Amino acid sequence: MTIRQPTHTPYDGSSKLFTIGLKPLEIERWIEVDEFLLPHLAEKQRLYADIPEKVFVEEADTRDAQSEVLALLSPHLIAKHPRTHFGAGSDVEVIGLASATDRLPPALREAPLARASLLVQEDLILMRRDERGWRLAAGSLCFPSSWSLQEKFGKPLQEIHAPVPGFGPGTRPAELINRMFDGLQGQAVERFNWSIQAGDALYHPLSNIQRIDRATNRPTRFADGDINAHAFMRVERQTLRKLPVSSDILFTIRIHLDPLKVLDAHPDRATLAASFVEQLLALDQQQLDYKGLTADRDRLVAFLNGIAGSA
């Protein structure tokens, strides 16, 4: 049986944790579509039906900017992904599914960003500039990586990033991110983030601080099962693109989930595992706690060293 290899491997050292790491992105590669398109969209539809208030927010005056997002996405999907999307203009749909509007709860059918979100696997976040900096003005976040859309709604970047070690208000990285947002023009950029989680849940809203092992008072995720069976690599591919009319910024987040054990079959498994170990060992205590790896790092390192040693 052929084992699916990870699409992205930022843990190879190309995208170090707790760095900004923005790189230019060719527009042709803006949106990613793979064999998980339909199940991912089905999960989004389920979340919209069950907990719409937790996965979609909008300020009242963002509908025009939301329409811009849909107007940018539609021709891109038709041109670059004709095997999965069809239509004309802003009327684009996914082959084999009912229209995005019909798959939304009635209260969200007039929100263009919600409709756009059911065309792609990416989550879509709209950032808007005010005197405080760039704030989260609207968003569809069905696949959060340890954060709450409701909690971050309306907040500027420096407050959104406050829990991230070294990225809170007043830090140099926080100032740099705001400057990068200010300087973004017609080009698109991308960056990667990654973590390790227990299980393959796409909807992953609890912060690592909320997942505390009462016995050790440290975040842990693998106490109830072995790493080989339960550890998944969660890779976030993030893109930024300024909207031409509103000058708002569209922030996309695409989640890739792969079992950690797939590295054992990777042709470059020794290099990947060794780099993975190097980055895990480089994290300080605050970073380990934030990532929820304090109680599990040594077990992960041993597992990865076993992969490297078997090459």
Side-chain angles (χ1 to χ4, degrees):
M1 182 178 71
T2 302
I3 297 177
R4 181 185 182 274
Q5 297 299 331
T7 304
H8 302 289
T9 58
Y11 35 80
D12 61 6
S14 60
S15 297
K16 295 185 183 298
L17 294 175
F18 302 102
T19 60
I20 298 173
L22 285 175
K23 299 175 183 178
L25 169 67
E26 301 86 358
I27 295 300
E28 289 74 18
R29 298 194 301 108
W30 179 34
I31 299 298
E32 293 187 336
V33 174
D34 63 19
E35 67 269 31
F36 299 114
L37 175 65
L38 295 186
H40 283 191
L41 295 184
E43 176 65 357
K44 283 190 177 188
Q45 185 177 353
R46 182 189 72 80
L47 292 165
Y48 271 128
D50 293 349
I51 49 171
E53 73 287 351
K54 292 184 178 180
V55 297
F56 188 83
V57 295
E58 61 175 340
E59 293 179 357
D61 61 347
T62 59
R63 288 288 176 92
D64 286 345
Q66 293 182 41
S67 293
E68 272 193 88
V69 172
L70 187 57
L72 277 179
L73 271 176
S74 297
H76 178 86
L77 293 171
I78 294 167
K80 302 301 178 184
H81 301 287
R83 294 184 178 181
T84 53
H85 294 78
F86 71 99
S90 289
D91 260 345
V92 62
E93 301 297 347
V94 179
I95 293 172
L97 293 180
S99 74
T101 302
D102 292 341
R103 289 181 282 127
L104 285 167
L108 293 180
R109 288 177 182 171
E110 300 301 318
L113 194 66
R115 179 183 168 189
S117 74
L118 287 183
L119 299 174
V120 295
Q121 290 162 265
E122 284 81 356
D123 283 322
L124 307 174
I125 305 294
L126 199 62
M127 305 297 295
R128 177 165 289 182
R129 189 75 159 86
D130 65 17
E131 67 280 357
R132 300 173 298 161
W134 291 89
R135 73 179 189 278
L136 199 165
S140 168
L141 184 74
C142 292
F143 307 146
S145 297
S146 302
W147 62 286
S148 162
L149 184 61
Q150 290 173 308
E151 178 188 334
K152 305 298 185 182
F153 181 39
K155 291 184 177 180
L157 280 170
Q158 60 270 24
E159 292 183 25
I160 289 173
H161 290 143
V164 184
F167 280 74
T171 62
R172 186 170 181 273
E175 294 175 3
L176 283 174
I177 292 172
N178 265 304
R179 286 184 208 161
M180 289 175 181
F181 271 58
D182 287 339
L184 194 64
Q185 298 302 324
Q187 77 278 27
V189 294
E190 72 175 345
R191 71 181 295 271
F192 289 88
N193 192 16
W194 56 270
S195 58
I196 302 173
Q197 70 178 53
D200 60 353
L202 287 164
Y203 181 68
H204 198 261
L206 288 181
S207 73
N208 295 321
I209 301 303
Q210 291 172 293
R211 292 190 297 274
I212 297 291
D213 176 31
R214 293 181 180 177
T216 63
N217 202 34
R218 296 286 190 186
T220 183
R221 284 174 277 183
F222 305 111
D224 297 327
D226 73 281
I227 285 172
N228 184 59
H230 297 286
F232 279 74
M233 300 174 290
R234 186 182 184 98
V235 171
E236 299 172 60
R237 177 183 180 262
Q238 305 170 356
T239 78
L240 294 169
R241 187 173 178 184
K242 180 166 280 190
L243 301 179
V245 178
S246 65
S247 293
D248 292 343
I249 288 177
L250 177 64
F251 174 43
T252 76
I253 311 165
R254 171 65 201 281
I255 300 299
H256 294 269
L257 277 173
D258 295 290
L260 188 61
K261 60 186 178 183
V262 302
L263 292 184
D264 200 26
H266 198 284
D268 296 321
R269 61 186 180 277
T271 301
L272 284 176
S275 177
F276 216 137
V277 166
E278 180 181 352
Q279 295 197 64
L280 289 173
L281 293 176
L283 298 177
D284 63 29
Q285 190 62 59
Q286 190 179 15
Q287 292 169 337
L288 284 170
D289 284 347
Y290 177 77
K291 283 291 186 180
L293 293 172
T294 300
D296 300 310
R297 180 178 65 176
D298 291 347
R299 296 169 65 193
L300 288 165
V301 166
F303 181 81
L304 291 163
N305 278 333
I307 290 176
S310 67

